[in-house]
Each structure stands twice: as structure tokens, then as C-alpha cells.
Amino acid sequence: MRYSDIDWNRLWQEAFEQKSWKKKKKKDWDNRASGFAKRNIDSSYADLFLKLMEPDPSWNVLDVGCGPGTLALPLASRVKSVTAVDFSASMLAELEKRKEKENIANVIPLQASWTDDWQKRGIPVHDVALSSRSLSVFDLQAALTKLNKWATKKVFIADRVGSGPFDPDIFAALGRKFDPGPDYIVTVNLLYKMGIHPRIDYIELDQSKTFSNKEEALASCQWMFDDLSDREKANLTAYVNERLIKKENGWELTRRSPVKWAFISWEK
Ligand SMILES: C[S@@+](CC[C@H](N)C(=O)[O-])C[C@H]1O[C@@H](n2cnc3c(N)ncnc32)[C@H](O)[C@@H]1O
């Protein structure tokens, strides 16, 4: 067998079909928008991403799958402008709320999908294109090709390492099978086949997190499932309560597996 025989896009697609959580449609992301915004805006993840990215004040940035503006909003003061693209109207509404509150003028939200014709949608080529935790697409090669084409200077991607934000212990506690699906190593191999040799860094988040109340701690686990039965909800609540430790400033929850992201970047 030769390396060149491996069809990485097909490998991605087959693993994608087998993963433990179903592919989320626009409506699923809409339903998640408010909870996602609460958990992710002002997260240490954004600080770590921006530290590795080293934004330049001259850049126009295209942020694909921007969500509630996890990166687009903090980037605003550090670059010339950000085009924030997402297919979920509710995610963009979260972004707009925050943009208004903070009086940010140089973030332009745009509702579009990875699979739209970006040229027809009038999305211009930018200095920099980024995709943070948003490469949950069936045709990975097409998405990577597009992202690369829509940047003239640099491309940045944050991609899941192993279980990523999912906690295998919680799946086990609920008696559910856990298959995290394909991760960043497929992305890196696909890029290699495209003639791109990216730099790879890692973003690792703290395994312990402090929440102001028990409900917040539960929400930080419940998002992993869209379809919990009442019994599973009760089991999850018991699981979380057993592990919560009361601290002076709230409730601390620690997971065994770290949340790790690959930070993949290259110059054009
Ligand atoms: C996990 S969130 C990441 C949000 C943000 N980039 C971050 O790192 O916090 C994934 C985002 O990708 C968006 N998304 C998923 N599939 C998409 C598609 N086909 N086209 C455009 N956006 C998509 C979702 O609506 C969601 O906002």
C-alpha cells in the first residue's frame, strides 16, 4: 500500500457517518445558539487562539462558522475588519447582540453556508481566512480548498483532537457508545495531499472549571446530547452532582480527559 493510495476525504466521510453524535443541521445550531454563546463568549479558548494567531492590524479576516462571535468579536479591535459567516441565524443574532452592546463597527455578519457558492454570495477574498471548531462538514476537502482560496496571506484552523470538547466519561456514565469521529489528523493529511505543509500547535484547556451554580455546571455537560431521556437526564444530574466540589467562588467540576484542539496554520 502506498500513502498516495489513501483517500483521506473518503476516510473522513466514512468516519463522519459513524461518529456518536448526529450531524447538526442549521436548526440544531439555531437551538444551541444561546447556550453556546453563554459557554463560549469570554472563554479562555478565544484568548489562547488569538495568542497563537498573532493578529496584524492590517488584516481583513474571514471567520467561517463564526458562531456567536467567539473569535470575531475579540478580533475586532486587533485587525482592520472581520467578515463573520455562519449558516445559523440564531448564532448571528447572538453575535449582533454583543456587537451592539460593545459598539463594535468593523465586524460584518453574513448568513451563508460552507456549501454555498461564495462568489455568487459576494464574499470577497480576504487577507486571512479562519475556521474555528467549525469544520463539521461532510466534504472536508471542498471546505479546505475554499478556505485556502479565500485567503491571500494566511489560513488558521482549530480542529478537534480526539474527543475534543466531548467527555468520554459522561458517555460511559450514561451507558452510551462513544465514537468521537474523525479528528485533525485527517485534516492535516488532506492538506498535505493538497501540497500544503501546515504548522501545528495545540490549544489545551483546563480540566477543571468553576461555575457560579450547579445548573451552569450541568449545562456544561448536557450540551453534548440533543436527545436525553428523562432517566438519562437524572443520571447525568447525579453524575455531575457527585463530582462537583464547593469552592469559595462557586462549584468546581473536573474532567479526566483534557479538551484539546489542534491549531493548524499556513501561509499562502
Ligand atoms: C462549534 S461552533 C464554533 C463557533 C465558533 N467558531 C467558535 O469557535 O466558538 C460551530 C459553528 O459552525 C456553524 N456551522 C456548522 N455547519 C455550518 C455550515 N455548513 N456552514 C456555515 N456554518 C456552519 C454552526 O452554526 C456553529 O455556529
Side-chain angles (χ1 to χ4, degrees):
M1 189 181 192
R2 286 167 307 176
Y3 177 82
S4 58
D5 292 334
I6 304 172
D7 182 342
W8 289 99
N9 209 33
R10 191 171 142 210
L11 195 143
W12 169 272
Q13 290 174 346
E14 289 186 7
F16 196 74
E17 294 287 288
Q18 279 161 26
K19 63 183 170 39
S20 301
W21 54 91
K22 60 179 168 48
K23 180 172 166 6
K24 282 175 206 64
K25 301 199 178 73
K26 207 188 283 190
K27 165 173 81 40
D28 301 316
W29 283 111
D30 280 342
N31 292 338
R32 278 183 168 205
S34 136
F36 188 90
K38 268 192 211 114
R39 287 193 311 277
N40 288 282
I41 291 282
D42 296 329
S43 64
S44 58
Y45 167 80
D47 291 341
L48 295 168
F49 186 107
L50 295 182
K51 205 165 165 197
L52 288 168
M53 183 181 182
E54 299 180 345
D56 187 283
S58 68
W59 288 350
N60 292 310
V61 179
L62 176 66
D63 179 359
V64 185
C66 62
T70 315
L71 292 165
L73 296 174
L75 256 180
S77 60
R78 303 175 63 174
V79 298
K80 202 163 162 193
S81 70
V82 184
T83 308
V85 173
D86 205 287
F87 74 167
S88 155
S90 305
M91 285 286 187
L92 293 176
E94 292 291 336
L95 181 147
E96 294 269 16
K97 255 196 257 171
R98 182 76 179 228
K99 176 177 135 101
E100 218 163 280
K101 196 168 150 205
E102 295 183 8
N103 221 355
I104 297 173
N106 60 340
V107 173
I108 304 121
L110 187 102
Q111 192 178 2
S113 169
W114 276 110
T115 49
D116 286 351
D117 182 333
W118 289 0
Q119 217 155 0
K120 273 198 189 143
R121 296 293 320 270
I123 302 178
V125 170
H126 288 61
D127 298 316
V128 168
L130 77 84
S131 156
S132 158
R133 312 188 286 190
S134 69
L135 273 177
S136 187
V137 291
F138 185 66
D139 192 345
L140 181 61
Q141 186 160 2
L144 293 174
T145 304
K146 234 166 167 174
L147 205 62
N148 188 45
K149 204 170 153 191
W150 253 260
T152 56
K153 291 189 174 143
K154 288 194 178 198
V155 182
F156 298 95
I157 291 174
D159 210 356
R160 195 169 37 75
V161 177
S163 52
F166 295 91
D167 186 345
D169 283 346
I170 297 184
F171 281 74
L174 297 187
R176 289 196 177 205
K177 182 179 150 281
F178 180 67
D179 179 344
D183 76 352
Y184 82 104
I185 205 62
V186 180
T187 310
V188 171
N189 276 287
L190 256 173
L191 289 171
Y192 178 83
K193 277 210 152 178
M194 289 161 64
I196 295 169
H197 304 146
R199 184 193 160 108
I200 307 170
D201 292 289
Y202 295 94
I203 294 174
E204 198 165 325
L205 305 183
D206 285 342
Q207 278 162 257
S208 297
K209 209 169 164 192
T210 305
F211 300 92
S212 43
N213 55 54
K214 287 184 171 184
E215 289 70 35
E216 249 182 42
L218 180 65
S220 80
C221 301
Q222 202 163 335
W223 69 267
M224 293 175 209
F225 311 92
D226 290 318
D227 55 347
L228 285 181
S229 66
D230 287 345
R231 192 160 151 203
E232 284 178 317
K233 262 185 211 154
N235 286 345
L236 181 62
T237 309
Y239 176 91
V240 171
N241 283 341
E242 254 171 47
R243 278 157 189 80
L244 277 176
I245 297 173
K246 183 82 183 101
K247 297 279 170 179
E248 254 175 43
N249 55 342
W251 293 90
E252 186 183 79
L253 188 63
T254 302
R255 52 184 281 168
R256 283 195 309 157
S257 59
V259 177
K260 199 165 167 181
W261 300 94
F263 181 87
I264 303 169
S265 60
W266 67 94
E267 292 193 11
K268 290 294 303 280

